[in-house]
Every structure is written in C-alpha cells, then in structure tokens.
Amino acid sequence: MDITSRNQSVTDGQFITVLSIDGGGVRGIIPAAILEFLEETLQKLDGPDVSIADYFDVIAGTSTGGLVTAMLAAPNENNRPLFAAKDITKFYLDNCPHIFPPTTGFLQSVFKYLNGPKYSGDYLHKILKKYLGDKRLHQTLTNVVITTYDIQIQQPAIFSTFTAKKDKLTDAFLADVCIGSSAAPTYLPAYYFQTKDSSGNTRDFNLVDGGIAANNPTLLAINQVTKQTLVDCPGFAVPTSKASDTTKFLVLSLGTGQKMETYNATDAAKWGLIGWLSNGGKTPIIDMFSQSSADMVDIHASVVFQAFKSEKNYLRIQVELSGDTSSTDLSTKKNLEDLVELGRKLLDDSVSRVNIETGLFEKVTGEGSNRDALTRFAKALSDERKLRLSPS
C-alpha cells in the first residue's frame, strides 16, 4: 500500500494509527521538534524518502496543530507531503514574527482587545493561501481531522477527509479550514467562507479557533475513525472489532505546552472584563478554557486506554511552561528559539502519563525518556507499514 492509497483502508494491518496535535499559537514549534525526531527515526528504519503521512491513518490538529496537520498531509506537485517534518520549525521561525507582530504597549494592547482582534490576520491568510493554494480536504495524502467552531450555528465544525469525500459542501480548501481553525478570539478575526457543490448548493461557514471545541483533538480523531464503522463512508473501511477496541489503536498525542500560571480566588474575585482578558500580560480566561479542554481529553483517553490495559498504545507528550514561553503569540527571536530548545529537551524528559485518580500528569518509571518511547513508537509504525505493504 503506497501513500496515495493510505486513506483507503486499514483492514490489512494490526493497528489504527492516529497522530494528534494541540492548538497553541507560536508554541506549535514544540510538537514540530518531536515530529522532526519521529520522522528522522522512521527514515532510519525505512529509508530517506518516507514521511510522517506514510504511517498515520489519521492526523488531527486544532489551530496551530491544524496548520501542522495540513503541512504534513497536503500534497506537493510530486504527490508527496508539502513539508518535511524538519522544515516545520523553520516555517514557524520565519513567519511567526509577521503573523504576531510586536504590540506597542500595555494600554494600547488593552484598547485593541476591547475594540477588535489584537492582530489583523492578513499575513497568516496570505501565507496559508500561498502554500496550500487550491488544495482541498479530499486531496490530503492521509485522512485529516481539523477542528473549528462555527459561531453562527453555535456548534463545532469538524473538517475531515472522511466527510469531504461524501459531502462536497464540506470539501473546503485547506487554507480556509486552517485560517478558520486558528482564528483565536481576541487574537485573530473570525473567518467566513462559502463552499459550493456541482449542483450549485452552497454552505456558509462562520468560524473561530477550534480550541473553543477541542484544543486537544485526540478523541475527535478516534471518534471519526470509530464512526466509519457506523455509517457508510466511502474510502475507509475498518472492522468493528478494531474500532471498538483500544488495543487496536496506536495514538501519539502532542501538546504545545501546559501553562503553569496560577491565580487565587481572592485576586480573581476583583477582576472585571479586562482582568479576565488581560492580566499582567496574560489572558486568564482564554488560557483556562483551552488548557482545561486539552486536559479533559487527555484524562478521558488515559482512562479508556488504561482500562483496556493498553496504556502503552497511547503516548501523550506534554511540557509545563511558565513565563514568556507560555505565551501564545510572543514571537520575539529569543522566545521562538527558547521554544525550539524546549521541544528538543522534551525528548529527554521522562515519559509521563495522567494519574487517573488525581488527574495530574506524572512521570512514569521504567519506560525511559520520550526519545525512548518515540523510538519504540516508530518501530511499531514501521512494522505496521511493512505488514500492510507485504503481499497478502
């Protein structure tokens, strides 16, 4: 099975493979470092021409994670991934200072928060349309799931290769989907676009950041696969026995950093609109919503995988952040380079997992570093690919 048929069937393999990438603005550099190591490891196993998209049945992303998803899965003119994993970090270093240009001062920042988005979004829109062009969801090299939230209908709008193949009104341009998924309230403007099918039917989308629905899209990705056993969705066949059993899933979930800012009720009780939106350079209400959303998904996934005694099939890599590195939009040269270094150092941190009794993310003894875990994960992915490629 070559990459062009990757999103056709997984019935010949042992696992359903899922990659999930959180939202987090400039902190998308952190999972980029993890993905670079993973792709290099896969290339050592299977040759220099393989890429991340060759190994995952589904790649899911929210906001900045949605952008990384598109970069990994969108085809270039040779029907290979638009970006190698090693090139994503450079993309962030080159473009983040233009997407999130420096603001002039605290009072002016607050004024902008109260009267419009902090950033125009013009550069982000331009660069995404430049790279992704007229590529649509159905053209991705493997199945993708990208989360957004539609403020007109007040519901999550989940864009996926699965639905795009059967409903042309959801087969949107990848650039439009990524712009909508990253339109973080107060940071970037909400985004509107319209799709049209061959019969002239249209559908309107009024989108903001997918983090409103799921900053960590891991469960959405799993649910999208599982859903294929319940509905007639062309282009993806999964036996019910696989989709209902977590031992048949192999999931890599990448966080963009967990903010360790703390507050107390005595102080927060005095906050008004400005205090919750902008407090000492932080954005408490937005940070709390996105972080709690991501953590709840990790807790739910951990409970299910541990209940089925398949916890090693679910690898969540996350790091605690504080100070400038916890910012979603601080794009100074120093901060971006610090984030690159954090991502690389994270490889040598111990494997961690949610304690399902306390909900805390704790180091696990006996499983080595994230580098060790990713090396084992890469071997499992390689074995799965070889199994599918072997003659039946």
Side-chain angles (χ1 to χ4, degrees):
M1 182 186 297
D2 61 22
I3 192 170
T4 59
S5 62
R6 182 70 190 175
N7 53 13
Q8 296 304 307
S9 174
V10 296
T11 55
D12 297 329
Q14 294 296 313
F15 293 107
I16 300 167
T17 55
V18 177
L19 170 63
S20 174
I21 310 160
D22 287 12
V26 299
R27 304 197 314 267
I29 290 178
I30 295 173
I34 305 299
L35 291 168
E36 180 177 351
F37 173 78
L38 177 61
E39 190 165 85
E40 288 175 351
T41 305
L42 290 167
Q43 289 171 347
K44 289 176 183 176
L45 291 168
D46 295 333
D49 296 327
V50 299
S51 64
I52 294 289
D54 293 324
Y55 294 87
F56 287 97
D57 297 307
V58 187
I59 304 177
T62 295
S63 193
T64 196
L67 172 56
V68 174
T69 294
M71 294 167 79
L72 293 170
N76 63 16
E77 63 277 5
N78 299 314
N79 207 37
R80 295 299 292 158
L82 194 62
F83 280 77
K86 64 183 176 64
D87 297 325
I88 295 175
T89 296
K90 185 177 185 302
F91 175 90
Y92 275 80
L93 291 173
D94 290 346
N95 292 291
C96 282
H98 304 288
I99 297 171
F100 303 111
T103 52
T104 51
F106 175 71
L107 290 178
Q108 287 169 302
S109 296
V110 172
F111 181 79
K112 291 195 73 173
Y113 268 127
L114 295 176
N115 292 277
K118 189 174 181 181
Y119 306 101
S120 70
D122 292 343
Y123 184 86
L124 176 63
H125 297 190
K126 177 182 176 181
I127 200 72
L128 288 179
K129 290 178 179 179
K130 171 187 174 182
Y131 281 106
L132 295 173
D134 60 357
K135 297 176 179 66
R136 292 183 179 271
L137 279 165
H138 82 273
Q139 296 173 293
T140 54
L141 298 171
T142 190
N143 299 290
V144 301
V145 176
I146 299 176
T147 62
T148 69
Y149 189 84
D150 194 312
I151 58 174
Q152 185 176 65
I153 62 174
Q154 290 291 299
Q155 286 185 354
I158 311 303
F159 290 89
S160 76
T161 313
F162 301 116
T163 55
K165 288 179 177 178
K166 65 173 183 175
D167 180 0
K168 296 304 179 184
L169 290 177
T170 67
D171 189 21
F173 291 116
L174 278 168
D176 286 333
V177 174
C178 288
I179 292 170
S181 183
S182 59
T186 75
Y187 288 99
L188 292 162
Y191 187 66
Y192 167 82
F193 66 88
Q194 184 183 78
T195 56
K196 181 183 291 187
D197 65 16
S198 57
S199 300
N201 300 309
T202 62
R203 181 171 174 182
D204 296 330
F205 294 95
N206 296 266
L207 304 180
V208 295
D209 195 300
I212 298 293
N215 203 51
N216 175 350
T218 300
L219 287 183
L220 281 175
I222 293 173
N223 288 346
Q224 284 284 312
V225 174
T226 305
K227 184 180 176 183
Q228 306 320 304
T229 68
L230 305 176
V231 296
D232 180 21
C233 181
F236 199 81
V238 182
T240 302
S241 60
K242 285 189 178 183
S244 62
D245 182 354
T246 62
T247 63
K248 301 302 181 183
F249 280 93
L250 197 60
V251 179
L252 175 61
S253 176
L254 301 180
T256 57
Q258 185 176 29
K259 295 187 179 185
M260 297 311 295
E261 308 293 346
T262 59
Y263 308 96
N264 62 68
T266 302
D267 292 336
K270 303 171 186 175
W271 295 348
L273 176 63
I274 294 176
W276 280 100
L277 283 176
S278 181
N279 195 297
K282 306 175 184 67
T283 52
I285 189 66
I286 296 172
D287 296 342
M288 291 176 191
F289 274 124
S290 61
Q291 185 165 305
S292 61
S293 167
D295 288 346
M296 285 303 294
V297 169
D298 186 28
I299 292 169
H300 288 316
S302 294
V303 167
V304 173
F305 276 84
Q306 290 182 45
F308 279 88
K309 308 297 183 185
S310 57
E311 57 266 24
K312 290 185 180 180
N313 288 18
Y314 170 64
L315 178 60
R316 171 74 169 168
I317 299 181
Q318 181 65 297
V319 62
E320 294 181 355
L321 301 175
S322 61
D324 287 349
T325 57
S326 68
S327 172
T328 301
D329 63 332
L330 183 60
S331 54
T332 62
K333 185 173 185 291
K334 181 181 184 306
N335 190 55
L336 294 176
E337 289 176 348
D338 286 346
L339 288 169
V340 173
E341 188 63 21
L342 269 171
R344 290 171 178 165
K345 286 183 176 178
L346 182 56
L347 289 168
D348 295 315
D349 284 356
S350 297
V351 171
S352 296
R353 189 172 294 128
V354 163
N355 182 322
I356 60 176
E357 298 298 327
T358 65
L360 298 176
F361 202 59
E362 300 175 348
K363 292 181 179 180
V364 179
T365 58
E367 293 189 27
S369 66
N370 288 321
R371 187 186 302 274
D372 297 327
L374 282 166
T375 300
R376 293 191 294 268
F377 200 95
K379 181 62 167 59
L381 290 172
S382 175
D383 289 346
E384 176 68 13
R385 181 172 180 268
K386 288 171 182 173
L387 179 62
R388 298 188 192 186
L389 290 170
S390 63
S392 55

